[in-house]
Amino acid sequence: MFNKHDFSITRRSFLRGILAAGTGLAASNRFAWAATPPERLVVAMSVGVDSINPYGHSDSPLYGLWGHVMESLVDTDYERKNFAPELAESWSANGNEWAFKLRKNVAFHDGTLLTARDVAYSYERIMKDKASVLQAPNLSDIKEMKVPDDHTVVIVTDRPKVALLGLLYNRVILSHKAAERLGEKMDDQAIGTGPYRFTGWQRGVHFTMRRNDKYWDKAPIIREIVWRPIKEDAARVAAIESGQADIINQVPIHDLDRLKRNPRVRVEMLRGLRNLYIGLNPAYKPFDNKLVRQAFNFAVDQEAIIKHVHENQVYGLKGLLGPQCLGYNADLKNYPYDPQKAKQLLAEAGYSDGVSVDFYAHAGRYQKDRETAQAIVNQMAKAGIKCNIKTPEYAIYETEFNAGKYGMYMFGRGSITDPEAFYIRYFRSGRGKRLSYRNPDFDRIFDLQSETFDAAKREELLRQLGRILHEDCPVIPLYNTAYVYAVRKDLIWKPRPDERIPLANARYQT
């Protein structure tokens, strides 16, 4: 059943909280810590849950939210740069078959036990359900699934697939018995195997969960978690300062110093896995011309954007991948900012009078994305490129972007450690609409690396792919985002580099 409590917080109430904190009245709010730690933790996030379909999104922060209620076969161990068991306790690969052994005695929240049929059902739903279209490309190489027994699932791919674990990461497992019993109402229940049980959701207001005391692993300490979508930066900051939130993400740069001085708040910052870039879709003129794409690269001053827009609080990319990624090539050098070179290339491509293009950008999705887009518009103008900036509502933006309707756009791709899934969605011919890029050399090397289990050989093939993209310029690399959180100071918690906010091991100091 849906929880009917209203957890909404207005921007005005947040700002009142700031004033209270500034005048010494904050002792009356949630930050008046007692000897007994609180049992509820409130997270204010820049994105919210739009559907109780766990497959109806592709947002890294939401993968983290859902991961508390529903679990995947594997998780990522960033310290070891490898994958760790979650619902699968072990796995092995033989040619184009991967066999996964499931943990025994793992129960869904409705009491039914996890079996291999649940894994097969979940992946089939992702691949066939129209509402799961955002996650379906990750499983597009699966040819067949076998269930030899209750605790073994064998995934057969079209060809050997070394990166399969990275594609299965974040694909949560649902109960096939719940689907049979509840039908279309299944998603209203959000039944998983995770350390927390779903208890309520109201679009734009809250997503609430409570501790699963029968969790197959160690049960969490904190009893209840409330996730509140707060898109406005000022409102999120006000929430942490007034005590109405215990963690907030995407802290604005201009608020960092003040939050660092707040004795009841600490700031956590690390280099993230999300890369921001400009897509130049070859399906649209003038981006079908390589010289034009190269000209656009020469027309962007990455260093100025990092220094003056982001105040050095982001990390410049060399090529499209960050140093945390497989296939990162430190030898790649970005195209230097050279408006005259850009004009020369445009003239060679037949655009001696410059070009005019529509430039689609999200506003408020990432820190200073609006300001970044405007800076790019100003820089390109000096190269004879007129960018007509368009900032549709994000729901429209996402729909049209996924349908491949934009020629030039700004976007961010998160959680990139193995670039396989990223390359599938954008650069492998015929595999995604977001960027209709076609390059036979890229396709050949991509397919070869995808079935190369020798780690060193595969790493070199991935570097070759990076060099091809660097030369062919279907994108303009910008930067890795910094993940900046403000956290209630007595909360013991550490962030991850993939935007997920893991709370199963969080606890308050006594």
Side-chain angles (χ1 to χ4, degrees), residues 278-425:
I278 305 298
L280 306 175
N281 193 337
Y284 293 87
K285 288 185 176 299
F287 305 117
D288 57 337
N289 190 312
K290 175 180 174 178
L291 294 176
V292 171
R293 299 194 300 269
Q294 289 179 332
F296 273 60
N297 271 264
F298 279 111
V300 172
D301 189 343
Q302 181 201 61
E303 292 183 4
I305 291 171
I306 292 171
K307 181 178 179 180
H308 299 297
V309 177
H310 292 275
E311 301 178 35
N312 294 313
Q313 297 296 323
V314 295
Y315 304 85
L317 287 169
K318 295 181 179 180
L320 192 53
L321 301 178
Q324 315 98 315
C325 300
L326 291 173
Y328 170 70
N329 188 344
D331 295 332
L332 292 181
K333 304 296 182 184
N334 287 324
Y335 289 76
Y337 181 53
D338 190 340
Q340 294 306 314
K341 179 67 173 179
K343 287 181 179 180
Q344 176 190 333
L345 290 170
L346 288 175
E348 291 178 22
Y351 298 96
S352 57
D353 295 329
V355 294
S356 178
V357 299
D358 289 336
F359 174 27
Y360 290 86
H362 34 65
R365 184 71 174 177
Y366 308 116
Q367 285 293 319
K368 293 203 170 184
D369 50 6
R370 187 195 307 270
E371 294 86 345
T372 298
Q374 189 57 57
I376 290 169
V377 170
N378 295 338
Q379 291 170 357
M380 288 197 168
K382 297 177 182 178
I385 300 169
K386 181 182 178 182
C387 292
N388 308 305
I389 194 164
K390 308 283 186 179
T391 55
E393 291 291 328
Y394 187 75
I396 297 173
Y397 185 104
E398 185 177 39
T399 299
E400 294 183 340
F401 162 71
N402 283 309
K405 293 186 177 182
Y406 298 156
M408 177 181 177
Y409 59 84
M410 181 168 69
F411 206 71
R413 174 77 185 197
S415 302
I416 303 175
T417 47
D418 189 315
E420 173 98 0
F422 180 38
Y423 285 170
I424 285 175
R425 295 300 299 272

Side-chain angles (χ1 to χ4, degrees), residues 111-413:
T112 58
L113 292 178
L114 169 75
T115 71
R117 287 188 62 194
D118 298 308
V119 178
Y121 158 75
S122 300
Y123 292 167
E124 286 174 0
R125 174 174 167 178
I126 292 174
M127 292 186 288
K128 298 177 181 179
D129 179 19
K130 291 182 179 180
S132 305
V133 65
L134 294 178
Q135 296 189 28
N138 294 284
L139 305 185
S140 59
D141 289 311
I142 293 180
K143 178 181 178 181
E144 180 187 1
M145 284 177 286
K146 304 175 184 178
V147 181
D149 59 61
D150 280 352
H151 295 96
T152 305
V153 60
V154 178
I155 296 177
V156 183
T157 54
D158 289 325
R159 55 202 307 169
K161 194 72 176 176
V162 67
L164 184 67
L165 296 180
L167 300 172
L168 300 183
Y169 166 59
N170 283 329
R171 305 313 136 214
V172 297
I173 305 303
L174 305 179
S175 167
H176 81 280
K177 289 184 178 179
E180 292 173 353
R181 185 176 76 252
L182 298 171
E184 293 182 357
K185 295 183 178 180
M186 177 183 179
D187 286 342
D188 293 345
Q189 307 297 316
I191 299 169
T193 59
Y196 284 89
R197 297 170 176 262
F198 165 78
T199 57
W201 170 68
Q202 185 177 345
R203 186 195 303 271
V205 179
H206 74 95
F207 186 104
T208 306
M209 56 185 70
R210 290 185 181 175
R211 182 175 60 215
N212 175 16
D213 291 321
K214 296 181 180 180
Y215 183 49
W216 59 267
D217 201 357
K218 182 180 178 181
I221 295 174
I222 295 174
R223 180 172 175 269
E224 183 177 64
I225 302 174
V226 180
W227 306 78
R228 289 177 172 152
I230 304 175
K231 295 183 179 180
E232 290 183 282
D233 290 346
R236 287 197 308 280
V237 172
I240 191 73
E241 290 186 311
S242 64
Q244 295 179 79
D246 303 301
I247 299 176
I248 67 170
N249 71 337
Q250 292 200 17
V251 176
I253 296 170
H254 58 266
D255 290 317
L256 283 176
D257 288 342
R258 188 178 75 253
L259 288 172
K260 289 177 180 178
R261 293 193 300 267
N262 189 321
R264 298 188 182 277
V265 176
R266 76 175 188 274
V267 172
E268 296 275 1
M269 178 175 175
L270 74 165
R271 181 170 187 158
L273 296 172
R274 180 174 295 279
N275 63 0
L276 266 288
Y277 62 92
I278 305 298
L280 306 175
N281 193 337
Y284 293 87
K285 288 185 176 299
F287 305 117
D288 57 337
N289 190 312
K290 175 180 174 178
L291 294 176
V292 171
R293 299 194 300 269
Q294 289 179 332
F296 273 60
N297 271 264
F298 279 111
V300 172
D301 189 343
Q302 181 201 61
E303 292 183 4
I305 291 171
I306 292 171
K307 181 178 179 180
H308 299 297
V309 177
H310 292 275
E311 301 178 35
N312 294 313
Q313 297 296 323
V314 295
Y315 304 85
L317 287 169
K318 295 181 179 180
L320 192 53
L321 301 178
Q324 315 98 315
C325 300
L326 291 173
Y328 170 70
N329 188 344
D331 295 332
L332 292 181
K333 304 296 182 184
N334 287 324
Y335 289 76
Y337 181 53
D338 190 340
Q340 294 306 314
K341 179 67 173 179
K343 287 181 179 180
Q344 176 190 333
L345 290 170
L346 288 175
E348 291 178 22
Y351 298 96
S352 57
D353 295 329
V355 294
S356 178
V357 299
D358 289 336
F359 174 27
Y360 290 86
H362 34 65
R365 184 71 174 177
Y366 308 116
Q367 285 293 319
K368 293 203 170 184
D369 50 6
R370 187 195 307 270
E371 294 86 345
T372 298
Q374 189 57 57
I376 290 169
V377 170
N378 295 338
Q379 291 170 357
M380 288 197 168
K382 297 177 182 178
I385 300 169
K386 181 182 178 182
C387 292
N388 308 305
I389 194 164
K390 308 283 186 179
T391 55
E393 291 291 328
Y394 187 75
I396 297 173
Y397 185 104
E398 185 177 39
T399 299
E400 294 183 340
F401 162 71
N402 283 309
K405 293 186 177 182
Y406 298 156
M408 177 181 177
Y409 59 84
M410 181 168 69
F411 206 71
R413 174 77 185 197

